[in-house]
Amino acid sequence: IRKNMESQKPKIAMYVKRPFGEKLNASFDFIKENWKQLLKYATYLILPVCLLQAANFSGLMGGMTDLTAMQAAGGMGDDPLSVFGPSFAFNYAGLVFFSFLGALLLTSLIYAMIRLYIEREERLNGILFNDIKPLLLRNIKRLFIMGVFCSFLFLLAVIIIVLLAVLTPFTLLLTLPLLFAFAIPLDLMAPIYLFEDISLMEAYRKTFPM
């Protein structure tokens, strides 16, 4: 009976203007309704990445422990950075890489499940990984492309800010607030680009209409 009552609840409308409080309520309602599916597939995708990340973190902490022991023993030598070695760099790079990979997979999964929730009559009930996979791969590709594009924009903005600051530091009073103001609407580009079947430049124009 309880399952029948839950299935009769109206589907959460996604493309609706809401006050901030109602946005939070809708988000919690979505999680409450689909937490089993979200937990299942998030664990399926993220757990292997977390295990690899934990291995890198363990190696990194082991290197830091060895460094502390060498400092206590007074065996640092003339070049203290030499004690880090390639193992430290490998573990640190792995930690950063798997952090970004986990964020990429989790974000792609959530957007894929929200879109499937919108498009399927049965919502996320009885959903299989084969149902999620096409959208998941599409979202991973699009998020990667968008990340490269946004990184280029950020690098370009930093170069312009530095060049203007060389001319006069007072330009920072204007350029830094503009950078933050530009970054806030840029966050809206992800849902536009992932939910709609449009190009990256079309999503950019929708985010920053001229």
Side-chain angles (χ1 to χ4, degrees), residues 16 28-29 34 63 76 100 123 126 144-145 159 173 195 203:
V16 175
F28 284 117
D29 288 341
N34 304 291
M76 295 291 293
F100 279 108
R123 308 180 189 185
F144 179 77
I145 294 172
I159 292 173
L173 297 174
F195 281 139

Side-chain angles (χ1 to χ4, degrees), residues 63-136:
M64 296 299 293
T65 302
D66 294 341
L67 176 62
T68 304
M70 291 183 67
Q71 285 178 331
M76 295 291 293
D78 297 330
D79 185 9
L81 295 179
S82 63
V83 299
F84 289 103
S87 177
F88 182 89
F90 175 80
N91 285 315
Y92 185 79
L95 187 65
V96 173
F97 172 77
F98 288 118
S99 296
F100 279 108
L101 180 61
L104 178 67
L105 290 174
L106 185 60
T107 304
S108 301
L109 175 67
I110 291 173
Y111 278 114
M113 296 189 79
I114 292 175
R115 180 161 177 173
L116 286 171
Y117 177 87
I118 297 170
E119 294 176 351
R120 297 173 85 240
E121 289 293 332
E122 60 274 29
R123 308 180 189 185
L124 296 183
N125 296 320
I127 195 170
L128 301 174
F129 184 71
N130 286 336
D131 300 320
I132 303 172
K133 186 177 178 181
L135 276 177
L136 178 66

